[in-house]
Amino acid sequence: MVIVIGFEGSANKLGVGIVRDGVVLSNPRHTYIAPPGQGFLPKDTAKHHREHALPVLKQALRESGVAPCDIDAVAYTKGPGMGAPLVATAVVARTFAQLWNKPIIGVNHCIGHIEMGRLVTGADNPTVLYVSGGNTQVIAYAEKKYRIFGETIDIAIGNCLDRFARILKLSNDPSPGYNIEQLAKHGRQLVELPYAVKGMDVSFSGILSHIESIAGTVLQRGECTREDLCFSLQETMFAMLVETTERALAHCGSHEVLIVGGVGCNLRLQEMMRVMCEERGAKLYATDQRFCIDNGAMIAQAGWEMFRAGMVTDLADTWCTQRFRTDEVPVLWRD
């Protein structure tokens, strides 16, 4: 029996999760929410994490019924992410690893999402679509690495959604992407937007620039509604993701697709991907907001896999990095 506690704080969500042999014992989190029309600044987000670290940690221990002496290892997000929040969270993880005299494990944030998705859904060897505020990648496992088959060449899809939400002055509670999704459900008119697939890669910056430039004019003239713009943005970007995922699915000969990351909660994205999978005789796996959105349990689960494979981080190497690619990590725990 191995118990690992995970600390996640790469963006605006601070999470602490505890996992025991593939069972999530607790997974509380607290979110920093910026005012409408604004994004979250690194310094403000780090301050939020420092202020809420102890309450969230105490809640995780209380809900799990686990004492520090029962924990076998401490895992934390090493990267990628925003520098200041990453460091604030890593300091907490290092502190308690030393107080409790436990080994510490630096976890790649992206791999945390993948391992959490595999655990929760039971997917065996899926082609993975990882979509979040900071990342957009199509991934598959091969030869002890998670290989990136395609990715964004500029901004992530979640960042594109967040920035358009600021144009519309949408609330950041619970998240800009969620509020765009709700408006999109009432859209009826498809506004033509740039469709930018370049081989296996995608580009969202041009789409964002275009919709930002036309939004004020078309809304003022009554040519379409906010709902139509949200609907059009989702449909265009999600179609791009389905296209590249389908190509990777065919190349790998896979029969499973797993969607992970915060944008993976979007039901319309899941619906479009499910149609593609059914047409190819494949199965779609996705999770809800408990595990799609950044959380501590996903770091604990990846840390659990790494700990069992003997992958422990020396204290001197427990730094953070804003750039930490998915395919840099040896995946020694998989066959």
Side-chain angles (χ1 to χ4, degrees):
M1 182 175 70
V2 175
I3 299 176
V4 176
I5 185 169
F7 293 83
E8 156 60 25
S10 61
N12 68 325
K13 294 169 182 65
L14 173 70
V16 180
I18 299 176
V19 169
R20 180 183 62 206
D21 293 341
V23 177
V24 178
L25 302 180
S26 62
N27 196 23
R29 67 179 164 226
H30 198 280
T31 303
Y32 170 66
I33 299 175
Q38 299 180 26
F40 48 90
L41 297 176
K43 64 176 183 178
D44 297 331
T45 310
K47 181 173 182 289
H48 164 272
H49 290 3
R50 289 192 296 268
E51 291 174 349
H52 291 88
L54 286 179
V56 175
L57 172 59
K58 290 177 180 178
Q59 183 181 351
L61 292 170
R62 183 173 64 251
E63 291 178 357
S64 67
V66 169
C69 60
D70 301 322
I71 294 171
D72 294 287
V74 174
Y76 77 99
T77 303
K78 189 167 188 172
M82 300 171 68
L86 279 171
V87 170
T89 309
V91 167
V92 176
R94 280 198 295 265
T95 299
F96 283 100
Q98 293 176 86
L99 284 174
W100 298 339
N101 194 28
K102 306 294 181 182
I104 190 167
I105 304 161
V107 172
N108 179 287
H109 178 85
C110 314
I111 288 180
H113 274 296
I114 295 171
E115 294 305 332
M116 190 81 256
R118 291 180 63 232
L119 171 67
V120 172
T121 65
D124 179 35
N125 187 28
T127 297
V128 179
L129 174 64
Y130 171 36
V131 278
S132 69
N135 299 274
T136 302
Q137 297 176 342
V138 179
I139 303 163
Y141 172 77
E143 299 180 353
K144 298 296 182 183
K145 289 282 185 73
Y146 280 117
R147 311 288 176 173
I148 300 172
F149 282 77
E151 59 189 322
T152 177
I153 62 173
D154 38 56
I155 62 174
I157 185 169
N159 184 248
C160 183
L161 291 168
D162 291 352
R163 288 167 65 178
F164 183 60
R166 292 180 214 167
I167 298 297
L168 298 182
K169 295 294 190 293
L170 299 183
S171 171
N172 289 317
D173 188 10
S175 72
Y178 175 82
N179 294 323
I180 284 181
E181 179 184 3
Q182 303 318 304
L183 286 176
K185 291 177 181 178
H186 304 287
R188 295 294 177 265
Q189 177 185 346
L190 183 65
V191 179
E192 186 175 352
L193 299 172
Y195 186 94
V197 172
K198 303 175 184 295
M200 282 297 295
D201 296 328
V202 294
S203 172
F204 297 122
S205 61
I207 300 173
L208 177 63
S209 297
H210 180 75
I211 199 169
E212 284 180 341
S213 67
I214 67 169
T217 303
V218 296
L219 291 175
Q220 188 176 23
R221 291 176 180 174
E223 296 175 7
C224 65
T225 64
R226 297 197 312 168
E227 290 80 359
D228 293 333
L229 289 177
C230 291
F231 168 73
S232 303
L233 184 61
Q234 280 197 169
E235 292 296 302
T236 303
M237 295 197 300
F238 293 172
M240 292 162 55
L241 296 176
V242 171
E243 177 186 338
T244 51
T245 303
E246 181 177 16
R247 201 174 295 133
L249 189 72
H251 177 79
C252 296
S254 175
H255 299 287
E256 299 175 322
V257 171
L258 171 64
I259 304 177
V260 299
V263 181
C265 297
N266 189 294
L267 296 181
R268 178 55 180 157
L269 173 59
Q270 293 182 17
E271 179 185 16
M272 293 173 69
M273 195 67 72
R274 185 173 290 108
V275 170
M276 181 275 287
C277 287
E278 290 174 352
E279 291 176 350
R280 296 195 62 88
K283 186 174 182 180
L284 174 68
Y285 293 91
T287 63
D288 58 30
Q289 62 180 356
R290 293 173 300 167
F291 302 112
C292 256
I293 296 172
D294 292 351
N295 61 91
M298 73 184 205
I299 302 304
Q301 175 61 19
W304 181 84
E305 294 280 15
M306 294 173 71
F307 181 71
R308 293 172 66 247
M311 300 174 68
V312 175
T313 307
D314 291 336
L315 189 63
D317 294 325
T318 55
W319 35 265
C320 302
T321 175
Q322 292 179 267
R323 294 173 177 83
F324 190 8
R325 287 181 62 81
T326 313
D327 52 7
E328 291 180 19
V329 180
V331 184
L332 304 183
W333 57 92
R334 290 193 60 177
D335 296 330

